[in-house]
Amino acid sequence: MPDSPTALRVESRTESGAVPSRRIALARLRDFALVPGIIAIAVVGQLVNPVFLQYDNVINIVQTMSEIALLVLAQTMVLVVGKMDLSLESTFGLAPGVAAWLTITGGHSLGLLPGWAALPVVLLVGVLVGALNALLIVRFGLSGFVVTLGMLIVLRGLLTGVSGGQTFFGLPDSMLYLGTTLWAGIPASIWLCLLLFAGGIILLGHTRFGRSLYAIGGNVDAAKAAGIRTDRIIWIVLITASALAALGGLLLSGRLASVAAAQGDGYIFTVFAAAVIGGVSLNGGRGTIFGAFTGILLLYMIQNVLTLAGVPAQWIGALNGTIILVALVMSRITSGKRQN
């Protein structure tokens, strides 16, 4: 499955017409780089507290992970195409916040729409935010980092404004469903997360569209010369990423049966930590959906082990930052390339 410019070269053929299988093997092997670490953390967690591998705890880890995992999936797609979206964490909070504001009554809410309209509103807000980001980045040629940083601040302010700085309660059933319902005895949010990641793996690894993302992230000028419609693809990626962030926010709101005014605040750091340790390059054109999934799974397993060991929650943020720095150093050493 292609995950970098190197992986793209896997598809190029030698003079004899044979695909260099050694490169294919190395590209696929990188996908499983974190699996030994996940196994090691599972062993350590079980030694720290026998509760760690019990069914209820495992389900708790995966369910709480599934919400932010959609942010990781979204950011991975954006990074692969050579962009960066800092506003995803604010979309994560604003989309369900606007839905609650428009569908429930009392307090700062308007109650203008029926409860069943909440899900379409959540997704619509995500699409609109992504479209606005794409308009500024692609159409007007502005810096993706600066645009999405500004959008992060704007969206955070909008959520504070519509909520009055308070938490929305009394959410309609349509907002609670995906966060509370069990499918075959497993939370629906877990199924949804796994299905979306599986779809992402297939899309990026086995379709022409996915190969186009890596080509654009690796060298946008070369991608244009090859006939790839780069602007259209970047539009699609940015809009899809924001919609995924909105859906992730809905999952969290459904599980907690509320939307806090600060929902999603600071999540982007965990998202980048997961993507980076999962092998996704900040320079674009390298990384896989599976690698990003193992990155967020490893982070949440570590956090759970620390919690069971009685480590104060305040240290978890420092851990995420340390992981990012170590991962960047390791990436620099192994790739031999400067990171801009």
PDB file of all heavy atoms in Angstrom, residues 193-217:
ATOM      1  N   CYS A 193     -16.193   3.864  13.763  1.00  0.00           N
ATOM      2  CA  CYS A 193     -14.777   4.218  13.660  1.00  0.00           C
ATOM      3  C   CYS A 193     -14.011   3.191  12.835  1.00  0.00           C
ATOM      4  O   CYS A 193     -13.245   3.536  11.924  1.00  0.00           O
ATOM      5  CB  CYS A 193     -14.174   4.350  15.055  1.00  0.00           C
ATOM      6  SG  CYS A 193     -12.388   4.648  15.074  1.00  0.00           S
ATOM      7  N   LEU A 194     -14.222   1.912  13.135  1.00  0.00           N
ATOM      8  CA  LEU A 194     -13.507   0.853  12.420  1.00  0.00           C
ATOM      9  C   LEU A 194     -13.886   0.831  10.943  1.00  0.00           C
ATOM     10  O   LEU A 194     -13.023   0.633  10.070  1.00  0.00           O
ATOM     11  CB  LEU A 194     -13.796  -0.497  13.073  1.00  0.00           C
ATOM     12  CG  LEU A 194     -13.261  -0.685  14.501  1.00  0.00           C
ATOM     13  CD1 LEU A 194     -13.668  -2.049  15.049  1.00  0.00           C
ATOM     14  CD2 LEU A 194     -11.742  -0.533  14.541  1.00  0.00           C
ATOM     15  N   LEU A 195     -15.167   1.038  10.655  1.00  0.00           N
ATOM     16  CA  LEU A 195     -15.612   1.045   9.263  1.00  0.00           C
ATOM     17  C   LEU A 195     -14.999   2.209   8.492  1.00  0.00           C
ATOM     18  O   LEU A 195     -14.561   2.051   7.336  1.00  0.00           O
ATOM     19  CB  LEU A 195     -17.138   1.126   9.197  1.00  0.00           C
ATOM     20  CG  LEU A 195     -17.889  -0.147   9.593  1.00  0.00           C
ATOM     21  CD1 LEU A 195     -19.392   0.122   9.665  1.00  0.00           C
ATOM     22  CD2 LEU A 195     -17.613  -1.270   8.583  1.00  0.00           C
ATOM     23  N   LEU A 196     -14.937   3.373   9.108  1.00  0.00           N
ATOM     24  CA  LEU A 196     -14.364   4.534   8.443  1.00  0.00           C
ATOM     25  C   LEU A 196     -12.862   4.371   8.222  1.00  0.00           C
ATOM     26  O   LEU A 196     -12.334   4.751   7.168  1.00  0.00           O
ATOM     27  CB  LEU A 196     -14.653   5.802   9.251  1.00  0.00           C
ATOM     28  CG  LEU A 196     -16.105   6.274   9.212  1.00  0.00           C
ATOM     29  CD1 LEU A 196     -16.338   7.399  10.208  1.00  0.00           C
ATOM     30  CD2 LEU A 196     -16.479   6.728   7.802  1.00  0.00           C
ATOM     31  N   PHE A 197     -12.169   3.793   9.194  1.00  0.00           N
ATOM     32  CA  PHE A 197     -10.739   3.563   9.017  1.00  0.00           C
ATOM     33  C   PHE A 197     -10.492   2.509   7.942  1.00  0.00           C
ATOM     34  O   PHE A 197      -9.565   2.640   7.135  1.00  0.00           O
ATOM     35  CB  PHE A 197     -10.081   3.147  10.338  1.00  0.00           C
ATOM     36  CG  PHE A 197      -9.512   4.298  11.104  1.00  0.00           C
ATOM     37  CD1 PHE A 197     -10.297   5.018  11.994  1.00  0.00           C
ATOM     38  CD2 PHE A 197      -8.193   4.681  10.939  1.00  0.00           C
ATOM     39  CE1 PHE A 197      -9.783   6.093  12.687  1.00  0.00           C
ATOM     40  CE2 PHE A 197      -7.661   5.753  11.629  1.00  0.00           C
ATOM     41  CZ  PHE A 197      -8.460   6.471  12.504  1.00  0.00           C
ATOM     42  N   ALA A 198     -11.324   1.471   7.929  1.00  0.00           N
ATOM     43  CA  ALA A 198     -11.193   0.454   6.887  1.00  0.00           C
ATOM     44  C   ALA A 198     -11.415   1.074   5.510  1.00  0.00           C
ATOM     45  O   ALA A 198     -10.675   0.794   4.551  1.00  0.00           O
ATOM     46  CB  ALA A 198     -12.185  -0.683   7.125  1.00  0.00           C
ATOM     47  N   GLY A 199     -12.422   1.944   5.415  1.00  0.00           N
ATOM     48  CA  GLY A 199     -12.670   2.635   4.166  1.00  0.00           C
ATOM     49  C   GLY A 199     -11.506   3.524   3.763  1.00  0.00           C
ATOM     50  O   GLY A 199     -11.131   3.598   2.583  1.00  0.00           O
ATOM     51  N   GLY A 200     -10.913   4.195   4.762  1.00  0.00           N
ATOM     52  CA  GLY A 200      -9.754   5.045   4.490  1.00  0.00           C
ATOM     53  C   GLY A 200      -8.558   4.256   4.009  1.00  0.00           C
ATOM     54  O   GLY A 200      -7.823   4.692   3.106  1.00  0.00           O
ATOM     55  N   ILE A 201      -8.344   3.085   4.608  1.00  0.00           N
ATOM     56  CA  ILE A 201      -7.227   2.231   4.199  1.00  0.00           C
ATOM     57  C   ILE A 201      -7.395   1.799   2.743  1.00  0.00           C
ATOM     58  O   ILE A 201      -6.448   1.837   1.950  1.00  0.00           O
ATOM     59  CB  ILE A 201      -7.129   1.006   5.124  1.00  0.00           C
ATOM     60  CG1 ILE A 201      -6.663   1.444   6.521  1.00  0.00           C
ATOM     61  CG2 ILE A 201      -6.168  -0.038   4.551  1.00  0.00           C
ATOM     62  CD1 ILE A 201      -6.736   0.345   7.557  1.00  0.00           C
ATOM     63  N   ILE A 202      -8.608   1.406   2.402  1.00  0.00           N
ATOM     64  CA  ILE A 202      -8.880   0.987   1.025  1.00  0.00           C
ATOM     65  C   ILE A 202      -8.740   2.171   0.068  1.00  0.00           C
ATOM     66  O   ILE A 202      -8.120   2.063  -1.003  1.00  0.00           O
ATOM     67  CB  ILE A 202     -10.286   0.376   0.914  1.00  0.00           C
ATOM     68  CG1 ILE A 202     -10.353  -0.924   1.720  1.00  0.00           C
ATOM     69  CG2 ILE A 202     -10.650   0.111  -0.541  1.00  0.00           C
ATOM     70  CD1 ILE A 202     -11.751  -1.494   1.844  1.00  0.00           C
ATOM     71  N   LEU A 203      -9.300   3.310   0.451  1.00  0.00           N
ATOM     72  CA  LEU A 203      -9.284   4.485  -0.412  1.00  0.00           C
ATOM     73  C   LEU A 203      -7.874   4.963  -0.713  1.00  0.00           C
ATOM     74  O   LEU A 203      -7.506   5.185  -1.877  1.00  0.00           O
ATOM     75  CB  LEU A 203     -10.089   5.617   0.236  1.00  0.00           C
ATOM     76  CG  LEU A 203     -10.181   6.919  -0.565  1.00  0.00           C
ATOM     77  CD1 LEU A 203     -11.008   6.697  -1.821  1.00  0.00           C
ATOM     78  CD2 LEU A 203     -10.784   8.028   0.292  1.00  0.00           C
ATOM     79  N   LEU A 204      -7.059   5.121   0.328  1.00  0.00           N
ATOM     80  CA  LEU A 204      -5.710   5.655   0.130  1.00  0.00           C
ATOM     81  C   LEU A 204      -4.744   4.614  -0.406  1.00  0.00           C
ATOM     82  O   LEU A 204      -3.781   4.956  -1.095  1.00  0.00           O
ATOM     83  CB  LEU A 204      -5.163   6.239   1.434  1.00  0.00           C
ATOM     84  CG  LEU A 204      -5.382   7.754   1.603  1.00  0.00           C
ATOM     85  CD1 LEU A 204      -6.867   8.052   1.740  1.00  0.00           C
ATOM     86  CD2 LEU A 204      -4.611   8.279   2.802  1.00  0.00           C
ATOM     87  N   GLY A 205      -4.991   3.358  -0.084  1.00  0.00           N
ATOM     88  CA  GLY A 205      -4.028   2.335  -0.458  1.00  0.00           C
ATOM     89  C   GLY A 205      -4.320   1.591  -1.733  1.00  0.00           C
ATOM     90  O   GLY A 205      -3.411   0.997  -2.329  1.00  0.00           O
ATOM     91  N   HIS A 206      -5.570   1.636  -2.209  1.00  0.00           N
ATOM     92  CA  HIS A 206      -5.925   0.768  -3.330  1.00  0.00           C
ATOM     93  C   HIS A 206      -6.757   1.458  -4.408  1.00  0.00           C
ATOM     94  O   HIS A 206      -7.396   0.777  -5.207  1.00  0.00           O
ATOM     95  CB  HIS A 206      -6.686  -0.454  -2.813  1.00  0.00           C
ATOM     96  CG  HIS A 206      -5.910  -1.259  -1.818  1.00  0.00           C
ATOM     97  ND1 HIS A 206      -4.905  -2.133  -2.172  1.00  0.00           N
ATOM     98  CD2 HIS A 206      -5.961  -1.285  -0.456  1.00  0.00           C
ATOM     99  CE1 HIS A 206      -4.396  -2.689  -1.089  1.00  0.00           C
ATOM    100  NE2 HIS A 206      -5.008  -2.189  -0.033  1.00  0.00           N
ATOM    101  N   THR A 207      -6.776   2.787  -4.425  1.00  0.00           N
ATOM    102  CA  THR A 207      -7.538   3.484  -5.456  1.00  0.00           C
ATOM    103  C   THR A 207      -6.686   4.559  -6.114  1.00  0.00           C
ATOM    104  O   THR A 207      -5.687   5.023  -5.558  1.00  0.00           O
ATOM    105  CB  THR A 207      -8.796   4.157  -4.870  1.00  0.00           C
ATOM    106  OG1 THR A 207      -8.404   5.236  -4.007  1.00  0.00           O
ATOM    107  CG2 THR A 207      -9.639   3.165  -4.092  1.00  0.00           C
ATOM    108  N   ARG A 208      -7.110   4.957  -7.288  1.00  0.00           N
ATOM    109  CA  ARG A 208      -6.412   6.022  -8.007  1.00  0.00           C
ATOM    110  C   ARG A 208      -6.481   7.330  -7.230  1.00  0.00           C
ATOM    111  O   ARG A 208      -5.518   8.107  -7.208  1.00  0.00           O
ATOM    112  CB  ARG A 208      -7.027   6.204  -9.393  1.00  0.00           C
ATOM    113  CG  ARG A 208      -6.391   7.321 -10.219  1.00  0.00           C
ATOM    114  CD  ARG A 208      -7.006   7.421 -11.597  1.00  0.00           C
ATOM    115  NE  ARG A 208      -6.762   6.196 -12.360  1.00  0.00           N
ATOM    116  CZ  ARG A 208      -7.203   6.025 -13.598  1.00  0.00           C
ATOM    117  NH1 ARG A 208      -7.926   6.972 -14.192  1.00  0.00           N
ATOM    118  NH2 ARG A 208      -6.945   4.896 -14.245  1.00  0.00           N
ATOM    119  N   PHE A 209      -7.630   7.573  -6.599  1.00  0.00           N
ATOM    120  CA  PHE A 209      -7.775   8.790  -5.800  1.00  0.00           C
ATOM    121  C   PHE A 209      -6.733   8.829  -4.682  1.00  0.00           C
ATOM    122  O   PHE A 209      -6.104   9.862  -4.435  1.00  0.00           O
ATOM    123  CB  PHE A 209      -9.179   8.860  -5.205  1.00  0.00           C
ATOM    124  CG  PHE A 209      -9.425  10.081  -4.363  1.00  0.00           C
ATOM    125  CD1 PHE A 209      -9.760  11.289  -4.941  1.00  0.00           C
ATOM    126  CD2 PHE A 209      -9.330  10.011  -2.980  1.00  0.00           C
ATOM    127  CE1 PHE A 209      -9.989  12.425  -4.166  1.00  0.00           C
ATOM    128  CE2 PHE A 209      -9.543  11.137  -2.194  1.00  0.00           C
ATOM    129  CZ  PHE A 209      -9.882  12.336  -2.796  1.00  0.00           C
ATOM    130  N   GLY A 210      -6.557   7.703  -3.998  1.00  0.00           N
ATOM    131  CA  GLY A 210      -5.578   7.643  -2.923  1.00  0.00           C
ATOM    132  C   GLY A 210      -4.169   7.891  -3.424  1.00  0.00           C
ATOM    133  O   GLY A 210      -3.381   8.618  -2.800  1.00  0.00           O
ATOM    134  N   ARG A 211      -3.823   7.300  -4.571  1.00  0.00           N
ATOM    135  CA  ARG A 211      -2.491   7.514  -5.124  1.00  0.00           C
ATOM    136  C   ARG A 211      -2.290   8.980  -5.507  1.00  0.00           C
ATOM    137  O   ARG A 211      -1.179   9.510  -5.412  1.00  0.00           O
ATOM    138  CB  ARG A 211      -2.285   6.599  -6.332  1.00  0.00           C
ATOM    139  CG  ARG A 211      -2.159   5.128  -5.966  1.00  0.00           C
ATOM    140  CD  ARG A 211      -1.700   4.294  -7.152  1.00  0.00           C
ATOM    141  NE  ARG A 211      -2.740   4.200  -8.186  1.00  0.00           N
ATOM    142  CZ  ARG A 211      -3.677   3.272  -8.211  1.00  0.00           C
ATOM    143  NH1 ARG A 211      -3.736   2.364  -7.236  1.00  0.00           N
ATOM    144  NH2 ARG A 211      -4.573   3.238  -9.188  1.00  0.00           N
ATOM    145  N   SER A 212      -3.375   9.626  -5.905  1.00  0.00           N
ATOM    146  CA  SER A 212      -3.286  11.048  -6.238  1.00  0.00           C
ATOM    147  C   SER A 212      -2.947  11.881  -5.004  1.00  0.00           C
ATOM    148  O   SER A 212      -2.196  12.859  -5.097  1.00  0.00           O
ATOM    149  CB  SER A 212      -4.614  11.526  -6.837  1.00  0.00           C
ATOM    150  OG  SER A 212      -4.895  10.864  -8.045  1.00  0.00           O
ATOM    151  N   LEU A 213      -3.494  11.504  -3.850  1.00  0.00           N
ATOM    152  CA  LEU A 213      -3.188  12.222  -2.620  1.00  0.00           C
ATOM    153  C   LEU A 213      -1.696  12.173  -2.312  1.00  0.00           C
ATOM    154  O   LEU A 213      -1.078  13.193  -1.982  1.00  0.00           O
ATOM    155  CB  LEU A 213      -3.972  11.626  -1.446  1.00  0.00           C
ATOM    156  CG  LEU A 213      -5.293  12.302  -1.071  1.00  0.00           C
ATOM    157  CD1 LEU A 213      -6.277  12.233  -2.226  1.00  0.00           C
ATOM    158  CD2 LEU A 213      -5.890  11.661   0.169  1.00  0.00           C
ATOM    159  N   TYR A 214      -1.106  10.987  -2.444  1.00  0.00           N
ATOM    160  CA  TYR A 214       0.325  10.850  -2.182  1.00  0.00           C
ATOM    161  C   TYR A 214       1.152  11.606  -3.209  1.00  0.00           C
ATOM    162  O   TYR A 214       2.180  12.197  -2.879  1.00  0.00           O
ATOM    163  CB  TYR A 214       0.714   9.368  -2.179  1.00  0.00           C
ATOM    164  CG  TYR A 214       0.210   8.615  -0.978  1.00  0.00           C
ATOM    165  CD1 TYR A 214      -0.868   7.745  -1.080  1.00  0.00           C
ATOM    166  CD2 TYR A 214       0.807   8.794   0.268  1.00  0.00           C
ATOM    167  CE1 TYR A 214      -1.338   7.057   0.028  1.00  0.00           C
ATOM    168  CE2 TYR A 214       0.334   8.114   1.383  1.00  0.00           C
ATOM    169  CZ  TYR A 214      -0.736   7.246   1.251  1.00  0.00           C
ATOM    170  OH  TYR A 214      -1.194   6.578   2.357  1.00  0.00           O
ATOM    171  N   ALA A 215       0.702  11.597  -4.453  1.00  0.00           N
ATOM    172  CA  ALA A 215       1.426  12.317  -5.501  1.00  0.00           C
ATOM    173  C   ALA A 215       1.417  13.818  -5.239  1.00  0.00           C
ATOM    174  O   ALA A 215       2.443  14.487  -5.379  1.00  0.00           O
ATOM    175  CB  ALA A 215       0.799  12.011  -6.859  1.00  0.00           C
ATOM    176  N   ILE A 216       0.263  14.343  -4.838  1.00  0.00           N
ATOM    177  CA  ILE A 216       0.158  15.776  -4.541  1.00  0.00           C
ATOM    178  C   ILE A 216       1.015  16.138  -3.338  1.00  0.00           C
ATOM    179  O   ILE A 216       1.727  17.144  -3.339  1.00  0.00           O
ATOM    180  CB  ILE A 216      -1.316  16.166  -4.295  1.00  0.00           C
ATOM    181  CG1 ILE A 216      -2.129  15.980  -5.575  1.00  0.00           C
ATOM    182  CG2 ILE A 216      -1.418  17.601  -3.804  1.00  0.00           C
ATOM    183  CD1 ILE A 216      -3.623  16.123  -5.372  1.00  0.00           C
ATOM    184  N   GLY A 217       0.944  15.317  -2.288  1.00  0.00           N
ATOM    185  CA  GLY A 217       1.744  15.588  -1.097  1.00  0.00           C
ATOM    186  C   GLY A 217       3.234  15.467  -1.345  1.00  0.00           C
ATOM    187  O   GLY A 217       4.036  16.162  -0.727  1.00  0.00           O
TER     188      GLY A 217
END
